C-alpha cells in the first residue's frame, strides 16, 4: 500500500513537472510590429469599421423596412425607455438595468434603485452611475421589485446592439424589437402585461400625442416595442478607436496599438467581430478543458488570488446556467465599452477586466497570454470606450 501511494505520488510529480516545463519552454506567439497605416489596414481587412457619425450613415447600416427609424420614434422611444411607470411596481424602467448618463436622466433611476436594496460590496454601480456602460454593474440583473434573474444572469450592455444579430446570453432572440417586448412582459424585468402597457400609455396625454406622431395606428403594444427598437438602435458609441480607423494616428497609444495587434493575431477578432466587436454569433464557452497544459502555467501576481474551478467554467457558476440548450453555447458579448461593464461573464463572476482577458486567452484561445500582453489588450479595449453619438439633431 505504501509503495502504491509512493509511486502514485511520484507519477503525479513527474506529470506536473513535465507539463509545467513544456508550458514554460513553449515560446509565446510572436506578434509582428506594424506601422500605423499597416495596423489600420489590417484592422479594416478583418472587418473592423468605425461607428457612423451621422444618422443617415447609421440608418444605411441598421434600418429595417418593417420599422424605419424616424425622429418621432426616437423621441417616443426615449420617453418609454426612461419611464418607470411601465413596470408593475412603478419603480423600474429599461434604463434602470441598462444605465447610461444621457441628459442626466438615468442617474436618478439608478440612485433610487440603490437606495431601496441592501448594500452589497460587489456592486460596481455605486461608483459608476455615470459610466457610458449600458448595464447596471450588478452581479445579477434585478428587475421589478428587485426580482433577480431566475438563472442569476448578468445584464448585457444595450449600447451598440444596433449591430448585433443575436440577443440574450443564449442568443435565441433575433431582434431588439422582440427583446424589448420580452423585457416589458418578463416577471423578472418590468413584469407587465400587454393590457397593462396599453392602459398605462392611453391614460397619458403626452403619450397619446407622441404615438400619434410616430405611428398611424397610435398606441399599441407592438408600436411600443417598435419605438423602443428605433431608439435603442441609435444608442451607439464612438471613441478613440473610431478616430484611429478614420485616420488619426494619435488617437491610440503605442501600448493600445500593440494590444490591437495582439487582439487580431491571437484570434480574439474571430468571435468579437463587426462594428460592435461581438453580438454577431453564438459560440461555445469554454472551448478548452481546464486540465490542459496552458492551465499549469500561471500568471503570478504580487498578491495572487485563489480561483475556484468547477466542472463547467473557470469560475463558480452561480445559477447553474449552461447557455443555449444547456450546451455551453453563448451569444458573444459586445466589447465596445467593455472596460465599463464589469463584472464579467454570464453570471458576473469575474470582477476585473484583466482576469477576464486572461480567462479568454486560456480557455477560449488555448494560449497563455503574458502579463504584458494582457495589459496591452486591456489598453486596446479602453480605446473602445466611447460617448453615445447624439443623432437627435442629425439628418
Amino acid at each position: 500500500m505504501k509503495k502504491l501511494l509512493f509511486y502514485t505520488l511520484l507519477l503525479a510529480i513527474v506529470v506536473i513537472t513535465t507539463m509545467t516545463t513544456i508550458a514554460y519552454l513553449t515560446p509565446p506567439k510572436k506578434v509582428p510590429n506594424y506601422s500605423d497605416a499597416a495596423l489600420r489596414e489590417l484592422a479594416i481587412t478583418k472587418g473592423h469599421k468605425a461607428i457612423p457619425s451621422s444618422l443617415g450613415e447609421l440608418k444605411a447600416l441598421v434600418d429595417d423596412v418593417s420599422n424605419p427609424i424616424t425622429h418621432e420614434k426616437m423621441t417616443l422611444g426615449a420617453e418609454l425607455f426612461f419611464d418607470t411607470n411601465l413596470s408593475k411596481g412603478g419603480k423600474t424602467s429599461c434604463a434602470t438595468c441598462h444605465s447610461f448618463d444621457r441628459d442626466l436622466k438615468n442617474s436618478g433611476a439608478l440612485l433610487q434603485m440603490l437606495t431601496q436594496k441592501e448594500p452589497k460590496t460587489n456592486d460596481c454601480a455605486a461608483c459608476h452611475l455615470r459610466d457610458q456602460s449600458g448595464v447596471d454593474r450588478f452581479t445579477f440583473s434585478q428587475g421589478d421589485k428587485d426580482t433577480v434573474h431566475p438563472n442569476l444572469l448578468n445584464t448585457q450592455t444595450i449600447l451598440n446592439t444596433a449591430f448585433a444579430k443575436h440577443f440574450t446570453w443564449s442568443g435565441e432572440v433575433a431582434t431588439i424589437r422582440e427583446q424589448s417586448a420580452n423585457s416589458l412582459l418578463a416577471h423578472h424585468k418590468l413584469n407587465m402585461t400587454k393590457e397593462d402597457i396599453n392602459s398605462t400609455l392611453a391614460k397619458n396625454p403626452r403619450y397619446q400625442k407622441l404615438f400619434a406622431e410616430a405611428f398611424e395606428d397610435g398606441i399599441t403594444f407592438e408600436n411600443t416595442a417598435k419605438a423602443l427598437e428605433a431608439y435603442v438602435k441609435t444608442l451607439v458609441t464612438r471613441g478613440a478607436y473610431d478616430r484611429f480607423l478614420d485616420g488619426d494616428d494619435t488617437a491610440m497609444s503605442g501600448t493600445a496599438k500593440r494590444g490591437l495587434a495582439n487582439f487580431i493575431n491571437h484570434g480574439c477578432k474571430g468571435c468579437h467581430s463587426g462594428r460592435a466587436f461581438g453580438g454577431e454569433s453564438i459560440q461555445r464557452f469554454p472551448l478548452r478543458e481546464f486540465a490542459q497544459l496552458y492551465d499549469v502555467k500561471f500568471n503570478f501576481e504580487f498578491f495572487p488570488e485563489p480561483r475556484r474551478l468547477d466542472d463547467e467554467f473557470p469560475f463558480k457558476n452561480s445559477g447553474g446556467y449552461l447557455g443555449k440548450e444547456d450546451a455551453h453555447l453563448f451569444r458573444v458579448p459586445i466589447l465596445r465599452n467593455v472596460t465599463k461593464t464589469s463584472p464579467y461573464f454570464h453570471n458576473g463572476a469575474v470582477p476585473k477586466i484583466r482576469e477576464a482577458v486572461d480567462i479568454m486567452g486560456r480557455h477560449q484561445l488555448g494560449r497563455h497570454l503574458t502579463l504584458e500582453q494582457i495589459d496591452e489588450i486591456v489598453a486596446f479595449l479602453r480605446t473602445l470606450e466611447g460617448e453615445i453619438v447624439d443623432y437627435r439633431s442629425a439628418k
Side-chain angles (χ1 to χ4, degrees):
M1 185 66 182
K2 289 183 178 180
K3 283 187 177 181
L4 178 60
L5 181 60
F6 171 77
Y7 285 117
T8 301
L9 181 60
L10 181 62
L11 178 61
I13 293 173
V14 170
V15 170
I16 292 174
T17 302
T18 301
M19 293 176 68
T20 304
T21 302
I22 292 173
Y24 273 97
L25 291 178
T26 302
K29 180 181 177 68
K30 291 185 177 180
V31 176
N33 291 319
Y34 298 95
S35 67
D36 290 341
L39 183 60
R40 182 181 297 108
E41 182 179 1
L42 176 65
I44 292 173
T45 59
K46 297 301 181 181
H48 294 185
K49 297 179 181 179
I51 294 293
S53 55
S54 73
L55 181 59
E57 292 175 297
L58 179 69
K59 290 172 66 174
L61 296 172
V62 305
D63 219 355
D64 182 348
V65 293
S66 69
N67 185 31
I69 297 173
T70 65
H71 283 283
E72 291 77 16
K73 290 178 188 175
M74 290 163 56
T75 300
L76 172 58
E79 292 286 333
L80 295 167
F81 192 85
F82 290 96
D83 192 347
T84 57
N85 291 315
L86 298 184
S87 65
K88 180 70 73 174
K91 297 180 179 179
T92 307
S93 69
C94 301
T96 304
C97 294
H98 297 290
S99 168
F100 55 88
D101 183 37
R102 185 167 184 176
D103 300 333
L104 299 179
K105 284 184 177 180
N106 199 35
S107 297
L110 256 185
L111 280 170
Q112 183 182 37
M113 184 173 180
L114 285 172
T115 59
Q116 295 172 346
K117 65 193 295 291
E118 293 296 323
K120 295 179 180 179
T121 56
N122 63 340
D123 285 343
C124 305
C127 296
H128 297 278
L129 290 175
R130 298 192 176 188
D131 275 355
Q132 301 284 58
S133 63
V135 298
D136 52 22
R137 303 299 288 264
F138 298 152
T139 302
F140 312 128
S141 66
Q142 299 183 27
D144 183 57
K145 299 180 181 178
D146 293 341
T147 304
V148 298
H149 193 287
N151 294 117
L152 302 184
L153 296 183
N154 181 255
T155 300
Q156 293 183 299
T157 183
I158 203 166
L159 304 183
N160 301 295
T161 52
F163 306 108
K165 298 177 182 177
H166 302 277
F167 301 87
T168 75
W169 279 106
S170 69
E172 295 174 279
V173 176
T175 66
I176 296 173
R177 192 187 318 173
E178 180 184 356
Q179 183 56 23
S180 297
N182 292 346
S183 296
L184 290 167
L185 303 178
H187 78 278
H188 58 280
K189 294 185 179 179
L190 298 186
N191 197 25
M192 296 285 270
T193 66
K194 293 181 180 181
E195 293 73 23
D196 290 337
I197 294 290
N198 291 340
S199 174
T200 299
L201 296 173
K203 294 175 183 176
N204 188 316
R206 176 161 174 76
Y207 277 131
Q208 294 174 14
K209 177 177 181 294
L210 291 176
F211 270 92
E213 291 173 347
F215 300 100
E216 290 184 2
D217 51 347
I219 296 174
T220 68
F221 181 79
E222 175 66 15
N223 287 344
T224 301
K226 283 184 174 181
L228 285 168
E229 178 183 49
Y231 174 63
V232 169
K233 281 185 175 181
T234 68
L235 299 179
V236 301
T237 60
R238 277 180 58 89
Y241 186 60
D242 299 285
R243 296 194 297 274
F244 175 75
L245 290 180
D246 287 341
D248 183 358
D249 292 339
T250 66
M252 295 173 61
S253 68
T255 302
K257 290 172 183 175
R258 290 192 296 274
L260 171 58
N262 281 316
F263 187 90
I264 293 174
N265 281 275
H266 282 296
C268 308
K269 51 77 183 171
C271 294
H272 293 285
S273 55
R275 280 183 169 82
F277 285 80
E280 294 192 338
S281 63
I282 300 170
Q283 301 291 339
R284 179 173 174 80
F285 173 78
L287 283 177
R288 318 295 179 183
E289 297 294 335
F290 303 147
Q292 295 181 15
L293 63 88
Y294 38 78
D295 287 312
V296 175
K297 185 176 179 183
F298 298 102
N299 273 329
F300 287 103
E301 303 280 359
F302 186 73
F303 294 109
E305 295 182 3
R307 294 181 176 88
R308 178 189 184 279
L309 304 182
D310 61 24
D311 294 332
E312 302 290 350
F313 298 95
F315 43 73
K316 183 178 180 180
N317 188 29
S318 301
Y321 188 69
L322 299 177
K324 182 181 179 181
E325 299 174 352
D326 290 337
H328 282 244
L329 297 173
F330 294 87
R331 177 244 205 187
V332 176
I334 287 171
L335 293 188
R336 281 190 177 269
N337 285 35
V338 68
T339 49
K340 294 187 174 185
T341 61
S342 62
Y344 301 104
F345 296 103
H346 62 276
N347 59 2
V350 176
K352 299 177 182 178
I353 186 65
R354 294 180 73 257
E355 183 180 354
V357 171
D358 188 29
I359 286 174
M360 291 302 291
R362 293 172 183 272
H363 301 288
Q364 211 64 7
L365 303 177
R367 299 187 182 280
H368 171 77
L369 299 173
T370 66
L371 294 178
E372 182 180 21
Q373 289 172 329
I374 291 173
D375 287 339
E376 290 170 348
I377 291 174
V378 171
F380 161 63
L381 294 177
R382 294 196 187 284
T383 70
L384 299 180
E385 295 177 2
E387 298 296 314
I388 297 174
V389 182
D390 190 353
Y391 293 116
R392 289 172 296 184
S393 58
K395 299 296 183 183

